[in-house]
Amino acid sequence: MLFYLGAGLGIAWCVELAGYVCLTPALPVKPVRAWVGWNWLGLGAFYIAYGLSLLRAPLGLVPYLVKLGMHFGLRWRYEARRTTYVREVVNLLAELANVLLTWGLVWWLVGPLRLQWWVLVCYLPLWAEALRLLAERVPIIFSAAWQLLPHRAIAYYLQRRRSYRPGSIGGRYCCYYSLSDEERAALVLEVLKQRVAADGEVAQRLAYMQAFRIIPQQQALRGGLVRDVARGEVFVHGIWTNDPWLLSGMALRRAPWSFDPRYVARPFYYMSGSNRAMSRFVLRNARYSLPYALFQFGHEIRVARLHFFYTLLRWLGADIERTVWDDGTFQNDQCIYWLKQRLGWDPGLAERRPLYADAEVLAELATGGEAEGSEPIAQQVAERYIYPLSYVEEVLLPQYRKQKEAVHAQFPSPA
């Protein structure tokens, strides 16, 4: 197993290194012609990941039971919304230890892999987990290593040594990595929007995004605190601009289109709702950020089983999954949160109401006490109720005007 993991890791790193060096973003760029085959390949990858996620589910049972024991038995506080990079490294080491120990246990119980059904049943979850580790963790490790390189210093050094043509590999590298973090983020978004200009669906969804907003490295991006929906901004750390493919993937996944009810009806769940919509979109449009799409494929192998789990529980009459809250955030550890409530523990996070539905927003606006002849300000409505500004302008306010006209027609003002 270690041989195959090492070979896969080496091949993946060589491919990523070639892509990162040779395909540094630069302007101008030609739009990429849409090909329907990418859509079908992406959907196929999504459903393959779903099947592999169910297959590898047994390997996630013991680690989760350990986490439950640490939380409820030892009273250790575990809050995924406040994750750190150190915790991510610990998680990676724990995942490697889990798969290696499980592999050793299976080898001890059934022997080496051979064509017998009970042996295959024991080994298939391990291969699914190994594939998940390669697909999800390799891009993460490579991206982290690439981000830590002193690219700006390297670019300045190369520029002093020789002059590069603007369109050459060296010229593109030096041009991009000589920029400030803010300029890099703006360039990546502009290049991405130019690349998708001929792809109507992707261009329409990226239109919801106006900019990347660079936030302090100490601020964790978890639990839905990853975007400003009303302003169309996606949050990133400054060091992330060292990885333009990471930014491109973030733009595809985290652009605020998922908060437009025309794409995902409100209120909605995250893991069994909006996450699936965003993951399908990223995989169907993998050509715009292959490294991120590879990570997304591996990530789905890890988390897609939760959709099956929550949906099954709802079918059985036990809905433990909380919807996305009215500030756009959500609770990551749904089982822990639910168990703490059942046991009467303080959940640690105040229970918030779900995202407002359109009918609730219109009802509040109708009783908002606006002056005669005035109407709510679109930007304020978008910020208050976590809507994309375009949806407020194109749908909500026209509905508000129509509703107001109907009320005036039914109850005309005295002359």
Side-chain angles (χ1 to χ4, degrees), residues 186-374:
L187 176 62
V188 168
L189 183 58
E190 185 176 358
V191 167
L192 181 60
K193 287 193 173 185
Q194 288 192 18
R195 291 188 69 207
V196 307
D199 192 335
E201 180 193 15
V202 183
Q204 186 178 28
R205 298 200 189 190
L206 277 182
Y208 285 84
M209 184 173 170
Q210 303 304 313
F212 289 106
R213 183 194 299 178
I214 296 178
I215 64 171
Q217 188 75 18
Q218 296 76 19
Q219 181 176 337
L221 294 175
R222 292 294 298 274
L225 296 172
V226 298
R227 64 177 72 81
D228 186 325
V229 176
R231 297 184 183 277
E233 296 176 341
V234 171
F235 304 157
V236 296
H237 294 146
I239 196 173
W240 290 3
T241 62
N242 277 349
D243 185 346
W245 298 110
L246 172 61
L247 295 189
S248 297
M250 289 290 183
L252 292 171
R253 180 174 174 82
R254 293 181 173 177
W257 61 265
S258 58
F259 282 79
D260 187 325
R262 291 172 289 191
Y263 292 109
V264 182
R266 296 158 64 114
F268 55 81
Y269 298 104
Y270 172 71
M271 191 53 66
S272 60
S274 62
N275 175 71
R276 286 170 56 79
M278 293 184 291
S279 298
R280 280 198 303 267
F281 182 68
V282 170
L283 291 173
R284 286 173 47 228
N285 298 284
R287 59 194 176 278
Y288 299 118
S289 183
L290 283 171
Y292 192 87
L294 177 62
F295 156 78
Q296 190 66 60
F297 175 73
H299 183 69
E300 281 303 298
I301 296 177
R302 180 162 63 90
V303 304
R305 73 189 191 282
L306 295 176
H307 166 264
F308 178 84
F309 175 69
Y310 292 139
T311 303
L312 177 63
L313 286 182
R314 279 196 290 272
W315 182 73
L316 295 174
D319 189 2
I320 71 171
E321 186 181 12
R322 294 293 185 272
T323 58
V324 173
W325 292 326
D326 62 345
D327 62 350
T329 64
F330 57 88
Q331 175 61 40
N332 277 304
D333 299 304
Q334 301 281 359
C335 288
I336 288 179
Y337 189 82
W338 179 78
L339 286 172
K340 288 166 74 173
Q341 288 188 321
R342 297 282 292 184
L343 296 173
W345 288 28
D346 180 6
L349 291 173
E351 180 73 21
R352 300 184 64 99
R353 61 151 292 145
L355 280 171
Y356 284 77
D358 286 6
E360 296 174 301
V361 175
L362 292 172
E364 283 202 3
L365 294 178
T367 58
E370 288 81 10
E372 184 68 25
S374 68

Side-chain angles (χ1 to χ4, degrees), residues 46-91:
F46 177 80
Y47 289 112
I48 289 172
Y50 194 100
L52 291 173
S53 183
L54 296 179
L55 194 61
R56 70 162 289 275
L59 274 82
L61 179 60
V62 172
Y64 197 75
L65 290 176
V66 170
K67 185 167 73 173
L68 290 178
M70 292 169 59
H71 186 81
F72 290 101
L74 302 177
R75 301 296 180 100
W76 286 12
R77 180 176 176 81
Y78 181 90
E79 182 47 66
R81 288 165 60 97
R82 294 179 174 85
T83 190
T84 64
Y85 291 106
V86 173
R87 178 173 287 171
E88 289 301 316
V89 173
V90 172
N91 288 342

Side-chain angles (χ1 to χ4, degrees), residues 159-211:
Q159 286 176 323
R160 288 195 302 268
R161 296 281 294 179
R162 59 170 294 184
S163 177
Y164 293 93
R165 290 184 296 105
S168 66
I169 293 175
R172 293 160 66 97
Y173 178 90
C174 292
C175 180
Y176 178 78
Y177 287 105
S178 297
L179 300 174
S180 67
D181 294 346
E182 292 77 10
E183 290 170 333
R184 291 181 195 173
L187 176 62
V188 168
L189 183 58
E190 185 176 358
V191 167
L192 181 60
K193 287 193 173 185
Q194 288 192 18
R195 291 188 69 207
V196 307
D199 192 335
E201 180 193 15
V202 183
Q204 186 178 28
R205 298 200 189 190
L206 277 182
Y208 285 84
M209 184 173 170
Q210 303 304 313

Side-chain angles (χ1 to χ4, degrees), residues 1 51 131 135 211 226 255 277 406:
M1 177 187 177
L131 179 60
V226 298

Side-chain angles (χ1 to χ4, degrees), residues 366-388:
T367 58
E370 288 81 10
E372 184 68 25
S374 68
E375 67 176 34
I377 299 173
Q379 185 66 41
Q380 294 178 353
V381 173
E383 292 175 357
R384 167 68 179 86
Y385 300 104
I386 318 298
Y387 280 107

